[in-house]
Amino acid sequence: MNELADILPWLLPVLAVLGVGIAVPLRRRGRRGAEPGRAATPEAPAAEAPEVPEAGPAPEAAATATEAPALERPEPVAGRLVRLRERLARSGSPLGARLLTVLSRDHLAEEDWEEIEEVLLLADVGAGPTTELVDALRERVRVLGVRDVAAVRALLREQLLALVGPDMDRSLAVAPTDGRPAVVLVVGVNGTGKTTTVGKLARVLVAEGRSVVLGAADTFRAAAADQLQTWGARVGVPVVRSDREGADPASVAFDALSQAQETGADVVLVDTAGRLQNKAGLMDELGKIARVLSRPGPLAEVLLVLDATTGQNGLRQAQVFTEVAGVTGIVLTKLDGTAKGGIVVAVQRELGVPVKLVGLGEGPDDLAPFDPEAFVDGLLAG
């Protein structure tokens, strides 16, 4: 007994340690075995199933649901006429300013009249119109003895306006005829802003309530068709174009006319490739486009786009295009730079064809009907 009493103090801690070591694994085993039934006990409520998000619309449906961009509303045409005079005045026209300076002198000697003649020629008014204007001014100054600045300005305005031709018909023939859309063919050399002019003209017609179809018959430059597509998309105007570069331009033009007839459009505007007037093959091709478009009926308009800053160089272009395609009206671009503003007089005198539209700047609505009075007033305000 004494031996047992001596051993117990050492034995009891050992037994306690062994008991804990056996109990812990048994408890762990019991927990693992009870996990499947854990959801049934209050202490371990069942885990909620994760929520499955509702399926969203398919990519195609999502794309359809996206709203199309709002169409642009072109500026009313009437508001553009005001800008013609303002742009011309801001450009500081040397034509009007120098003429007024010379004519306001107390005494006009022969060298003064020669200076006036030089100013007009440098402004590309042309030799014939310059002689007419100088002779008319000489007579009026001699008879009336005009010296007052206001009187000189009024006299010069009267003579310039007569030279520009206020009585010429500058309206655009864009009304459908006998159920056929009006066909407007736009021609010109490279670099005059022809395709841009077609896009801006479409905006003019849309602003007037016309329905329009564009024909991208410049098949040599894919960029031209893309550019026209962009212009049309902005105002909801369809564009007929070829699916390959170098296609027959006359075929594209005819397809555009056919679509305009099928949809009942008012006007079909046909853009053509820029070409040099001295390239016979290209001019023959232009003649073919004009003939194809003329089969259902005569062309409503053939508009020649000229860069106003080219001056007299544009006259030969105008003459050849008129012979090939029968130009009915002139569109002068870059008229806000008026150093060569006299080309308005010269081109009308040479061709007997009126300037109908003018480009006033780079904005999408900077194309306006030509107003002779606003043009002359702008020159004299410079």
Side-chain angles (χ1 to χ4, degrees):
M1 290 294 292
N2 291 335
E3 293 178 0
L4 183 58
D6 293 336
I7 295 173
L8 281 176
W10 297 96
L11 185 59
L12 288 175
V14 173
L15 292 175
V17 172
L18 290 174
V20 171
I22 293 170
V24 170
L26 288 175
R27 187 178 300 172
R28 288 179 179 169
R29 247 186 239 120
R31 280 183 180 174
R32 283 197 296 267
E35 279 183 1
R38 180 179 171 187
T41 63
E43 294 80 0
E48 296 182 1
E51 292 184 3
V52 179
E54 295 183 3
E60 295 82 359
T64 304
T66 303
E67 292 186 4
L71 296 178
E72 296 179 9
R73 180 174 295 178
E75 179 183 316
V77 176
R80 306 178 191 189
L81 299 178
V82 178
R83 295 207 305 270
L84 173 58
R85 178 175 174 174
E86 295 174 350
R87 293 281 177 87
L88 292 173
R90 284 202 304 269
S91 68
S93 165
L95 175 59
R98 289 188 62 185
L99 289 178
L100 285 172
T101 299
V102 177
L103 287 171
S104 299
R105 293 170 184 168
D106 292 335
H107 175 72
L108 293 177
E110 189 60 32
E111 56 266 25
D112 295 320
W113 290 110
E114 290 176 358
E115 183 178 347
I116 290 174
E117 185 174 342
E118 180 183 359
V119 170
L120 292 170
L121 291 173
L122 289 175
D124 281 323
V125 172
T130 292
T131 300
E132 290 180 21
L133 180 57
V134 170
D135 289 346
L137 288 172
R138 275 179 181 264
E139 181 179 352
R140 296 299 299 275
V141 168
R142 179 176 56 81
V143 172
L144 300 176
V146 177
R147 289 293 179 273
D148 177 71
V149 175
V152 168
R153 181 182 293 273
L155 173 60
L156 184 56
R157 183 184 188 278
E158 175 189 339
Q159 297 300 321
L160 284 174
L161 192 56
L163 209 56
V164 171
D167 299 328
M168 299 186 80
D169 182 10
R170 303 179 192 277
S171 61
L172 283 176
V174 290
T177 304
D178 298 329
R180 298 193 312 271
V183 181
V184 179
L185 183 64
V186 183
V187 302
V189 301
N190 290 310
T192 56
K194 182 171 43 56
T195 300
T196 298
T197 297
V198 173
K200 291 182 178 182
L201 180 54
R203 295 177 69 93
V204 169
L205 296 174
V206 169
E208 294 178 340
R210 303 280 185 185
S211 55
V212 182
V213 172
L214 296 177
D218 183 354
T219 58
F220 299 103
R221 288 193 311 127
D226 293 340
Q227 184 181 358
L228 208 59
Q229 191 93 44
T230 300
W231 281 104
R234 290 176 178 174
V235 289
V237 171
V239 177
V240 176
R241 58 184 295 179
S242 172
D243 56 358
R244 61 185 179 84
E245 192 171 341
D248 180 20
S251 176
V252 176
F254 183 79
D255 289 344
L257 174 57
S258 298
Q259 178 168 322
Q261 291 173 323
E262 292 170 3
T263 59
D266 297 322
V267 188
V268 54
L269 294 178
V270 179
D271 183 28
T272 59
R275 58 199 73 224
L276 295 175
Q277 74 279 4
N278 57 359
K279 297 295 183 182
L282 291 175
M283 297 305 288
D284 289 344
E285 185 180 76
L286 180 60
K288 177 184 175 183
I289 296 173
R291 289 192 300 274
V292 167
L293 290 175
S294 300
R295 285 173 186 168
L299 296 176
E301 295 277 4
V302 178
L303 299 178
L304 172 63
V305 181
L306 290 176
D307 183 336
T309 63
T310 62
Q312 292 289 320
N313 291 333
L315 284 182
R316 179 56 186 160
Q317 299 172 11
Q319 291 166 350
V320 176
F321 277 101
T322 299
E323 294 168 3
V324 172
V327 174
T328 60
I330 306 295
V331 182
L332 280 179
T333 60
K334 306 177 186 177
L335 192 60
D336 48 336
T338 57
K340 301 291 186 181
I343 190 62
V344 171
V345 175
V347 74
Q348 290 183 157
R349 181 63 60 88
E350 290 293 328
L351 303 178
V353 173
V355 172
K356 293 192 172 186
L357 295 161
V358 289
L360 308 175
E362 300 299 325
D365 291 323
D366 282 343
L367 184 72
F370 180 69
D371 183 336
E373 293 193 6
F375 174 69
V376 171
D377 289 341
L379 292 179
L380 296 178

